[in-house]
Amino acid sequence: MGADQNIDWRLAAASALEWWRDVGIDTLVDEEAHDWTAAPPAPVATQPLRAAPRAVAAPVVVPLPTTLDAFIAWRNGPDAPEAAWRGDPIAASGNPAADIMILVDVPDREDSDTGMLLSGTVGRLFDRMLAAIGRNRDSVYLAPMCSVRPMAGRIAPEIEARLVEIARHHVALVAPKRVLLLGNAPSRGFTGMDVARARGSLQAINLESGMGATTVDVVASFHPRLLLERPAEKARAWKDLQMLIAGLGA
């Protein structure tokens, strides 16, 4: 019986050793003494690995042209913000030496067909407005903030700040005595307010250009397309036009 017990013990030990070997235990002793009853050491806090920040190249800011001729060529060229848009750009028109500059937001739908700002029904009302103050298209300078009509028919918020910067530079280069801002986008760009809040007063606006700082008086008023929709606003628009020409020669 004792021999059988020795054989059973050896077999059990061999079986245990084989199992330990299978699970990766390759030694039963260590050269150093250990207190196996002691609590395990607290885990060491480690910081999660973080990816190194990617270097982001700063956008290249190209200064706007500092002469009116160079600016106009750039404004309708391949480097303008709207250059990749569908449609042909519509340039400013009239006399850049005039004492009145008129700024609109975008070309109207008819303008894209005629290649001229404020054409069609809107344009006929605009011409009557000019005639009422003794002016015509040859005695003012008319320019758009956005030279190509956006698909939505209005300036998108993500590009408005850039177009405002360009429009203010344009006005600074022209340096008129007065600027008529027709519509909300031009009004916001120069006064910080929509037409409903900005109209009714002559406001002095400081502008910067390559030629230095300049000050121009602006009047905000309703776009002719809104006057066609709301004829009752024509009375207030007439007051704005009278304010625009007050003190100026015909």
Side-chain angles (χ1 to χ4, degrees):
M1 182 177 293
D4 293 340
Q5 290 176 347
N6 289 339
I7 292 173
D8 293 341
W9 177 83
R10 291 189 184 95
L11 291 174
S15 178
L17 289 171
E18 186 178 0
W19 185 83
W20 287 338
R21 184 174 59 251
D22 290 340
V23 299
I25 299 174
D26 58 2
T27 181
L28 298 178
V29 296
D30 198 343
E31 296 180 354
E32 298 180 2
H34 294 277
D35 182 2
W36 300 106
T37 63
V44 178
T46 58
Q47 294 292 333
L49 294 177
R50 296 181 180 178
R54 297 175 58 187
V56 179
V60 178
V61 179
V62 179
L64 294 173
T66 56
T67 66
L68 183 58
D69 289 342
F71 174 83
I72 292 174
W74 172 88
R75 192 68 188 88
N76 300 303
D79 296 325
E82 315 94 325
W85 296 9
R86 183 178 179 180
D88 296 326
I90 298 181
S93 59
N95 181 9
D99 53 358
I100 293 178
M101 180 174 180
I102 301 175
L103 196 66
V104 296
D105 50 359
V106 301
D108 286 300
R109 194 179 305 278
E110 294 86 352
D111 301 349
S112 300
D113 298 329
T114 63
M116 181 181 71
L117 287 173
L118 296 177
S119 56
T121 304
V122 173
R124 287 191 289 274
L125 176 57
F126 175 69
D127 289 338
R128 292 199 300 270
M129 293 167 65
L130 290 180
I133 58 174
R135 300 290 179 125
N136 57 37
R137 293 186 184 236
D138 293 331
S139 63
V140 298
Y141 184 61
L142 175 63
M145 281 183 61
C146 189
S147 63
V148 179
R149 178 177 172 81
M151 292 186 64
R154 61 182 182 275
I155 297 175
E158 58 268 21
I159 198 177
E160 185 168 355
R162 177 59 173 163
L163 293 179
V164 166
E165 176 190 4
I166 293 171
R168 292 173 69 97
H169 185 79
H170 194 175
V171 173
L173 292 177
V174 175
K177 292 182 179 179
R178 302 275 171 83
V179 178
L180 178 61
L181 307 170
L182 293 179
N184 283 328
S187 180
R188 284 194 303 267
F190 283 76
T191 71
M193 299 178 288
D194 286 345
V195 170
R197 295 178 56 199
R199 64 160 302 278
S201 63
L202 190 68
Q203 302 182 49
I205 305 296
N206 295 320
L207 302 172
E208 293 285 343
S209 71
M211 304 300 291
T214 185
T215 301
V216 62
D217 292 331
V218 305
V219 173
S221 191
F222 305 107
H223 195 287
R225 77 170 75 96
L226 184 137
L227 295 178
L228 290 174
E229 298 173 359
R230 304 179 189 175
E233 300 291 0
K234 290 181 179 180
R236 293 204 288 173
W238 170 239
K239 292 181 180 179
D240 298 333
L241 292 176
Q242 289 178 307
M243 186 183 308
L244 176 72
I245 62 171
L248 298 179

